[in-house]
Amino acid sequence: MFQTFEETARPEQGPPRLAALRGALVAEGLDGFVVPRADAHQGEYVAPCDDRLAWLTGFTGSAGYCVALRDRAGVFVDGRYRVQVRAQLADVFTPVDWPEVGLAEWINDALPDGGRVGFDPWLHPVEQLRSLRGALKGVELVPVANLVDRIWEDRPPPPLGPVAVHPLELAGEPHGDKIARLAAALQADAAVITLPDSIAWLLNIRGSDIPRNPVPQGFALLHGGGTVTLFMAAEKLREIGDHLGPNVTLAAPGEFAGALAALSGTVQIDPATCPAAVADALTQAEVVEAPDPCLLPKARKNAAELGGTRAAHLRDAAAMVRFLAWLDAQPADTLTEIDVVKRLEAERRKSNALRDISFDTISGAGPNGAIVHYRVTEATNRPVKDGELLLVDSGGQYVDGTTDITRTVAIGAPGDEERANFTRVLKGMIALSRLRFPPGLAGRDIDPLARVALWEAGLDYGHGTGHGVGAYLSVHEGPQRIARTGLVPLEPGMILSNEPGFYREGAYGIRIENLIAVEEAPALPGQTVARMLRFETLTFVPIDRRLIVAELLTGAERDWLNAYHTEVVAKIAPLVEGPARDWLLQACRVI
Amino acid sequence: MFQTFEETARPEQGPPRLAALRGALVAEGLDGFVVPRADAHQGEYVAPCDDRLAWLTGFTGSAGYCVALRDRAGVFVDGRYRVQVRAQLADVFTPVDWPEVGLAEWINDALPDGGRVGFDPWLHPVEQLRSLRGALKGVELVPVANLVDRIWEDRPPPPLGPVAVHPLELAGEPHGDKIARLAAALQADAAVITLPDSIAWLLNIRGSDIPRNPVPQGFALLHGGGTVTLFMAAEKLREIGDHLGPNVTLAAPGEFAGALAALSGTVQIDPATCPAAVADALTQAEVVEAPDPCLLPKARKNAAELGGTRAAHLRDAAAMVRFLAWLDAQPADTLTEIDVVKRLEAERRKSNALRDISFDTISGAGPNGAIVHYRVTEATNRPVKDGELLLVDSGGQYVDGTTDITRTVAIGAPGDEERANFTRVLKGMIALSRLRFPPGLAGRDIDPLARVALWEAGLDYGHGTGHGVGAYLSVHEGPQRIARTGLVPLEPGMILSNEPGFYREGAYGIRIENLIAVEEAPALPGQTVARMLRFETLTFVPIDRRLIVAELLTGAERDWLNAYHTEVVAKIAPLVEGPARDWLLQACRVI
């Protein structure tokens, strides 16, 4: 099993660790210290050595901050983690509703003028620090070596996961060509690249430093002349031979800061993700702020990446179909949420192609389905009860692609409200699936289309409709997203999730998620718009017909659903057999 | 008649006037001069004395620029005016597709380093000038007294239209209260107000300086202490007695520049609309850039303004119904576009309440319907032919409200393509009419909802879906709008148009327009969103059933349309009689 179910929070260890941190504060003459969840690479998952927030506070969510002062300590978490944080913290910590209450606002209230708060400049991006500094009144932010690391006695070493070559037939473009075309387009003499998935994409390598994301941790400099300096432990690269080639120079991670200090001319950094320490180290250079040059090229998948992703989705769909068929065949009231997770991972492993799961499977029965980022543990594990909904959000990392799929399933006979609201969510999912749109639109522009049917009933969901997805990279990648914050135009090749939902707190959760890829739409007779885009659906798994109120669908929506299920059968029936195949055929009947 | 039909362009006068302007260039030692359509108040309509662009070039559109250099002269117009400009310009002028080609880009190409281009700082807002200066390379922009005014020998004097009091029962709030609450919320010691409709709203006055817009030209200073200095010719204010009261001081327009120079402390200007000359004159003050403080309060209509607007729309709908009934009764091939305009204005005048039309009526038959901002003249006047569509976009200025409505009517039997595309446009109009949405959304977020049905067929329209509308003020007001550029959250009381369209160039045009007002939506059973908004429809005029393909509508769309027509009958049938009433009843039959 990739996934584990233990409760990793250790609330009882919070008080002594906080006390030790306060000792370090006093020694440094500071009034406080900021501990973010993030590491220097700003990813969603961190290595154990970087999991400082969980180590200090017990809070294990994927985003948040602790601001430890001498007399109080706030733990700032967003809407996803409001319930979880209260269960995980000892009472020396105060949960703070963030971003409704900002760090600066809270610090301004807590500290007098002249207060000094330390931070680790490797863990805060330039923009974040700038806005924090701008909002602080009379309190100084002081860069210091990380105080948590100082008191963390058995801190694990940095990961040394081996790196593998990402084969050209899946990458679709030699890394030498990528380096050359990005270098030629740079708006500066060099660019600093701090995101592991950018480095992995640029160099056609994959890593194993972090769970769920097949990327190697490291930093890189892309030089305008078409060369790269890669700062990465040499022992991680033993298995890739001379793959990197003469234009990539390897350097030890410890040499990174010195190399930055030696750079002159103009140097490009991405202020959204580049650590403040990097900008500070560029003492000889003129800093130019611009998006990471890999972001857009990586987001626009090429034909090989799309081809691999399609293959991964078919393989993953077969596993999902076997899993759903098994689930439907179980006697009432015999399963728990953990049983569901185990069986699903086992089905994914059967292809012998699964490298990892792409995130911890969300298996939420009844009211747990309404916890958007629920991770089941032995402590929370709930029976899957007859008459409830079961929400399963999961994905696989295959060498040819990354998958992410949510299906909500009726266990026994579903209620009328659940069916009506499932149908409204489905209408939103179909609206995006059917959409044709002119180029230039961003995710923000189409996000409401997935919500209108819910809004009509006074309902909504508190998350974006879709996130970008990598090609055997992070299951959450930018800059493409379908959300209020999605301002980058959608372009052919971008892979996104399409996952509207609805959550009745304390009762049930509904989410339906397919992955989709932006593609050119062939012109229609009489078309007047020069060019149009649409979405190719990548996910082919039945949507639970028992939860659909057919009369709430328009004719066009029903046509889409029937055509989808026809395609599911055509693509997946040949990949499954026996009871799974029988189940698939009946699950895809015309509605 | 308010509307006239003569062709006002005088292409033959362009060459001698351009030659005279070039003489002035030489005398000033300049290489060029910029002539915008705008006056100092950045409105859509200008007084004859400010119509410099038309006087110089012959181009009569409502937006554009001429950049006159010694050896060439470009006339920059947007997509609405590409055809018109070619018909109106003598060949000493070169039409330029703007904003695809920017002024700076064109000037950079035309002039060498060290070039000097003059401009009138009263006619260019701060932001526009800033971006123009930022984009020019090696060319200097030089503020000068307007060179067109210098050569324009019979230039008309500034308008002196009388000002009237806007009665409290229609304004809904005493102007003293408006001044006090805006002054209390100022982020500076004073604000400069340069928009006539802001001044008219703030002081509860209406004017008659400019056609179509019932506003008086002038400038104002709003002081933090709760007083106003109004710079306006005293002879315009003779009829309002002591309406302005002791907190408003009148000053002559000629004193404005001096008063700006005397201001100290912080002074707020709106960089989007405030002339650069104003900012330059604030030599003793610290300039703070912020939106015109009247914009949002003016956009959020109060109960009295909404009540007046509803009354104006009923009156206007009765005129429209009489007009449409008359139109349907005319024998085939007996009308021209101008006949249509005349009859419609005559019907509007019958109530004896019409103060003006709110813009020149657009009456486009057949292919002329595809010209989005078509204004019929004796030269373009076209017969209304059997089998064609007629697009009529018009509105009235009544003392209680401003209307704006578009109906597209089948003349004889319409074609299948026209009916299908009319139905698609209608689906977009209904989508917004039926929408419920959470607060915080801006026009950008809902604009696509009006286009999806067209996009599905590869079609679209090249304009926004809706503009803000004033309450007996400008028919185009900001900041609210339903368009890609609409970034201000929609709030209760805001009036907008809802006017999707489709235009087949050279063949036909379709547009359907109702005005709508944002309102709170009563909570539904089971609603989980704390607060929701929706649109109240203000316009009650039948939509041509002959152009609707009922099978293309969903059940919900059909229900909306039938409910709308039922409400039209309930509200308008009591206001019309005889054949018009008979026509109304049959036009509103259930579909």
Side-chain angles (χ1 to χ4, degrees):
Chain A
M1 284 292 292
F2 292 112
Q3 190 155 342
T4 59
F5 305 100
E6 76 272 25
E7 180 52 77
T8 53
R10 298 280 174 273
E12 72 284 0
Q13 297 181 337
R17 288 171 181 175
L18 180 60
L21 182 63
R22 283 178 173 151
L25 284 183
V26 172
E28 283 286 326
L30 293 171
D31 299 301
F33 185 70
V34 186
V35 182
R37 165 43 152 62
D39 64 14
H41 307 287
Q42 299 298 318
E44 198 168 340
Y45 288 86
V46 297
C49 64
D50 290 319
D51 210 0
R52 299 176 183 91
L53 184 64
W55 180 85
L56 176 68
T57 68
F59 168 66
T60 57
S62 69
Y65 298 86
C66 175
V67 180
L69 304 181
R70 296 193 184 192
D71 65 342
R72 72 194 85 174
V75 177
F76 297 72
V77 304
D78 64 41
R80 294 173 292 175
Y81 295 116
R82 299 272 155 82
V83 177
Q84 175 179 329
V85 78
R86 280 164 176 77
Q88 293 190 319
L89 294 184
D91 58 11
V92 295
F93 295 101
T94 310
V96 183
D97 287 359
W98 175 81
E100 290 79 351
V101 178
L103 271 63
E105 187 183 347
W106 188 86
I107 295 172
N108 286 335
D109 277 355
L111 287 184
D113 263 24
R116 300 176 75 241
V117 173
F119 72 99
D120 179 345
W122 284 97
L123 306 186
H124 298 270
V126 169
E127 244 170 27
Q128 183 188 98
L129 195 66
R130 192 179 287 157
S131 82
L132 190 56
R133 281 214 161 105
L136 282 173
K137 293 187 175 122
V139 173
E140 189 191 355
L141 278 182
V142 184
V144 292
N146 201 297
L147 298 189
V148 170
D149 298 358
R150 193 179 305 178
I151 61 167
W152 187 349
E153 291 183 359
D154 55 350
R155 183 172 170 237
L160 289 172
V163 170
V165 171
H166 192 55
L168 182 57
E169 64 266 28
L170 293 172
E173 183 181 9
H175 61 286
D177 292 7
K178 292 181 181 177
I179 293 170
R181 87 179 151 100
L182 265 60
L186 277 191
Q187 310 204 346
D189 298 327
V192 187
I193 303 177
T194 66
L195 298 180
D197 57 344
S198 287
I199 294 172
W201 173 83
L202 180 65
L203 300 179
N204 288 346
I205 55 177
R206 294 296 184 266
S208 52
D209 283 334
I210 328 173
R212 312 299 173 250
N213 288 347
V215 295
Q217 290 194 331
F219 295 102
L221 294 174
L222 171 62
H223 304 279
T227 60
V228 167
T229 314
L230 175 64
F231 299 87
M232 192 174 283
E235 50 264 67
K236 298 206 289 196
L237 295 158
R238 280 197 197 118
E239 294 173 20
I240 68 168
D242 59 357
H243 164 77
L244 293 174
N247 289 331
V248 181
T249 308
L250 191 64
E255 296 174 45
F256 183 46
L260 293 171
L263 284 176
S264 59
T266 52
V267 176
Q268 187 175 319
I269 62 167
D270 186 337
T273 49
C274 177
V278 169
D280 294 344
L282 291 165
T283 48
Q284 308 293 316
E286 182 190 336
V287 173
V288 177
E289 297 192 354
D292 177 332
C294 301
L295 281 187
L296 269 176
K298 171 164 65 67
R300 294 184 290 238
K301 274 75 178 172
N302 60 34
E305 290 167 322
L306 289 169
T309 297
R310 286 186 199 105
H313 274 80
L314 296 184
R315 187 183 314 123
D316 198 63
M320 277 294 295
V321 165
R322 288 192 306 266
F323 159 73
L324 290 169
W326 166 84
L327 181 66
D328 261 13
Q330 302 313 298
D333 299 321
T334 57
L335 294 178
T336 67
E337 292 168 339
I338 288 180
D339 297 332
V340 165
V341 174
K342 287 181 172 171
R343 179 72 184 207
L344 177 52
E345 190 176 314
E347 292 295 350
R348 280 207 167 90
R349 283 174 174 273
K350 280 182 184 164
S351 66
N352 202 22
L354 187 74
R355 302 296 178 99
D356 197 345
I357 49 178
S358 49
F359 54 96
D360 285 342
T361 293
I362 296 170
S363 166
N368 283 347
I371 304 171
V372 174
H373 285 75
Y374 178 60
R375 173 180 166 270
V376 56
T377 67
E378 297 289 359
T380 66
N381 191 23
R382 199 174 184 284
V384 177
K385 289 189 198 146
D386 199 61
E388 290 187 343
L389 301 187
L390 174 68
L391 186 158
V392 183
D393 187 351
S394 67
Q397 290 283 12
Y398 303 92
V399 71
D400 45 4
T402 302
T403 71
D404 183 1
I405 173 173
T406 309
R407 288 294 182 266
T408 303
V409 179
I411 305 297
D416 288 345
E417 182 193 312
E418 285 88 330
R419 294 182 72 231
N421 291 338
F422 182 93
T423 310
R424 292 180 191 285
V425 172
L426 178 61
K427 286 167 81 80
M429 212 276 285
I430 294 175
L432 290 189
S433 302
R434 292 185 64 233
L435 183 67
R436 293 171 65 97
F437 60 100
L441 292 197
R444 171 175 177 171
D445 300 305
I446 65 171
D447 178 79
L449 300 171
R451 300 180 192 265
V452 166
L454 286 162
W455 288 346
E456 198 174 333
L459 313 177
D460 202 355
Y461 47 96
H463 56 77
T465 301
H467 53 84
V469 178
Y472 190 39
L473 280 174
S474 175
V475 76
H476 291 160
E477 79 168 19
Q480 74 275 28
R481 70 180 63 82
I482 303 173
R484 291 295 298 284
T485 52
L487 300 178
V488 171
L490 299 176
E491 294 186 60
M494 287 178 170
I495 299 177
L496 295 136
S497 70
N498 171 11
E499 49 177 317
F502 174 69
Y503 311 92
R504 180 78 73 186
E505 205 184 320
Y508 62 88
I510 295 164
R511 187 159 64 249
I512 313 173
E513 176 187 26
N514 279 352
L515 296 197
I516 53 181
V518 182
E519 65 172 4
E520 300 283 344
L524 298 168
Q527 176 163 327
T528 58
V529 180
R531 226 187 106 204
M532 297 201 85
L533 301 176
R534 66 179 181 186
F535 295 114
E536 171 190 357
T537 293
L538 300 170
T539 306
F540 291 101
V541 174
I543 294 165
D544 195 340
R545 296 166 76 264
R546 297 164 297 192
L547 284 168
I548 299 173
V549 183
E551 309 80 65
L552 289 181
L553 297 181
T554 66
E557 289 165 346
R558 214 183 287 205
D559 290 348
W560 181 90
L561 184 70
N562 287 327
Y564 176 69
H565 276 154
T566 302
E567 203 171 350
V568 169
V569 169
K571 287 183 189 304
I572 309 303
L575 307 182
V576 293
E577 53 195 3
R581 192 170 182 283
D582 297 342
W583 176 90
L584 176 65
L585 296 181
Q586 68 80 21
C588 291
R589 275 170 302 144
V590 168
I591 206 161
Chain B
M1 285 294 290
F2 292 113
Q3 189 156 342
T4 59
F5 305 100
E6 75 272 25
E7 180 51 79
T8 53
R10 297 281 175 275
E12 72 284 3
Q13 295 181 338
R17 289 171 179 173
L18 180 60
L21 182 63
R22 284 175 171 153
L25 284 183
V26 171
E28 283 287 326
L30 292 172
D31 299 302
F33 185 71
V34 186
V35 183
R37 166 42 154 61
D39 64 14
H41 307 286
Q42 299 298 320
E44 196 169 340
Y45 288 86
V46 298
C49 65
D50 290 319
D51 210 1
R52 298 176 183 92
L53 184 63
W55 180 85
L56 177 68
T57 68
F59 168 66
T60 58
S62 70
Y65 299 86
C66 174
V67 180
L69 304 181
R70 295 190 184 194
D71 65 343
R72 72 192 88 173
V75 177
F76 296 73
V77 304
D78 64 41
R80 296 172 292 176
Y81 294 116
R82 299 272 156 82
V83 177
Q84 175 179 331
V85 76
R86 281 166 174 77
Q88 293 189 319
L89 295 183
D91 59 11
V92 294
F93 295 100
T94 309
V96 183
D97 287 358
W98 175 82
E100 290 80 350
V101 178
L103 270 62
E105 186 184 345
W106 188 87
I107 294 172
N108 286 337
D109 276 355
L111 287 183
D113 263 23
R116 300 175 76 243
V117 174
F119 72 99
D120 179 346
W122 284 97
L123 305 186
H124 299 270
V126 169
E127 242 171 30
Q128 183 189 100
L129 196 65
R130 192 178 288 156
S131 81
L132 190 56
R133 280 213 161 106
L136 282 173
K137 294 189 175 120
V139 174
E140 189 189 356
L141 278 183
V142 184
V144 292
N146 200 297
L147 298 189
V148 170
D149 298 358
R150 193 181 303 179
I151 62 167
W152 188 349
E153 289 182 1
D154 54 351
R155 182 171 169 237
L160 289 172
V163 170
V165 170
H166 192 55
L168 182 57
E169 64 267 29
L170 294 173
E173 182 180 10
H175 62 286
D177 292 6
K178 292 181 182 176
I179 293 169
R181 86 177 151 102
L182 264 60
L186 276 190
Q187 311 204 347
D189 299 325
V192 187
I193 303 178
T194 65
L195 298 179
D197 57 345
S198 288
I199 295 171
W201 173 84
L202 180 65
L203 300 178
N204 288 346
I205 55 177
R206 295 296 184 267
S208 53
D209 283 337
I210 327 170
R212 312 299 174 250
N213 288 348
V215 294
Q217 290 194 331
F219 296 101
L221 294 174
L222 171 62
H223 303 280
T227 59
V228 167
T229 314
L230 176 64
F231 299 87
M232 194 175 281
E235 51 264 64
K236 297 205 289 198
L237 296 157
R238 282 199 194 114
E239 295 171 19
I240 67 167
D242 58 0
H243 164 77
L244 293 175
N247 289 333
V248 181
T249 308
L250 191 64
E255 296 173 44
F256 182 47
L260 292 171
L263 285 177
S264 59
T266 51
V267 177
Q268 185 176 320
I269 62 168
D270 186 337
T273 49
C274 178
V278 169
D280 293 343
L282 291 165
T283 48
Q284 308 292 316
E286 183 191 336
V287 173
V288 177
E289 299 193 354
D292 178 331
C294 301
L295 281 188
L296 269 176
K298 171 164 64 68
R300 295 185 287 239
K301 274 74 179 174
N302 61 33
E305 291 168 322
L306 288 169
T309 297
R310 286 185 198 105
H313 274 81
L314 297 183
R315 188 183 311 123
D316 199 64
M320 277 294 295
V321 165
R322 290 192 304 267
F323 158 74
L324 291 169
W326 165 84
L327 181 66
D328 261 12
Q330 301 313 298
D333 299 322
T334 57
L335 295 177
T336 68
E337 292 167 338
I338 289 179
D339 296 331
V340 165
V341 174
K342 287 180 173 171
R343 180 71 184 208
L344 177 52
E345 189 175 314
E347 292 296 351
R348 280 207 166 89
R349 283 173 173 274
K350 280 181 185 165
S351 66
N352 202 24
L354 188 74
R355 301 297 178 96
D356 197 344
I357 49 177
S358 49
F359 55 96
D360 286 341
T361 294
I362 296 169
S363 165
N368 283 346
I371 304 170
V372 175
H373 284 77
Y374 178 60
R375 172 180 167 270
V376 56
T377 66
E378 298 288 1
T380 66
N381 190 23
R382 197 172 184 286
V384 177
K385 289 188 198 148
D386 199 62
E388 289 187 344
L389 300 187
L390 175 67
L391 186 157
V392 183
D393 186 351
S394 68
Q397 289 285 11
Y398 304 92
V399 71
D400 46 4
T402 302
T403 70
D404 184 1
I405 173 174
T406 308
R407 287 295 180 268
T408 304
V409 180
I411 305 297
D416 289 343
E417 181 193 313
E418 285 89 331
R419 293 181 74 231
N421 290 338
F422 182 93
T423 308
R424 292 181 190 284
V425 172
L426 177 60
K427 287 167 81 80
M429 212 275 282
I430 294 175
L432 290 190
S433 302
R434 292 185 64 236
L435 184 66
R436 292 172 66 96
F437 60 100
L441 292 196
R444 171 175 175 171
D445 300 306
I446 65 172
D447 178 80
L449 300 171
R451 301 180 192 265
V452 167
L454 285 162
W455 288 346
E456 199 175 331
L459 313 176
D460 200 355
Y461 46 97
H463 55 77
T465 301
H467 52 84
V469 178
Y472 189 38
L473 279 174
S474 174
V475 76
H476 292 158
E477 79 169 19
Q480 75 275 28
R481 70 180 63 84
I482 303 172
R484 290 294 300 281
T485 53
L487 300 179
V488 171
L490 299 176
E491 293 187 61
M494 287 178 169
I495 299 177
L496 294 137
S497 70
N498 172 9
E499 50 176 317
F502 174 70
Y503 311 93
R504 180 77 73 186
E505 205 184 320
Y508 61 89
I510 295 164
R511 188 161 62 250
I512 312 173
E513 177 188 25
N514 279 353
L515 296 197
I516 54 181
V518 182
E519 65 174 4
E520 300 283 344
L524 297 169
Q527 176 162 327
T528 57
V529 181
R531 224 186 109 206
M532 297 200 84
L533 302 176
R534 66 178 181 185
F535 295 113
E536 171 191 359
T537 293
L538 299 170
T539 306
F540 291 102
V541 174
I543 293 164
D544 196 339
R545 296 166 75 265
R546 297 164 297 192
L547 284 167
I548 299 173
V549 183
E551 308 81 63
L552 289 182
L553 297 181
T554 66
E557 288 165 346
R558 216 184 285 204
D559 291 346
W560 181 91
L561 185 70
N562 286 327
Y564 176 69
H565 277 153
T566 301
E567 204 173 350
V568 170
V569 169
K571 287 185 190 299
I572 309 303
L575 308 181
V576 294
E577 51 195 5
R581 192 171 180 284
D582 298 340
W583 177 90
L584 176 64
L585 297 181
Q586 67 81 21
C588 291
R589 276 171 299 143
V590 167
I591 205 161

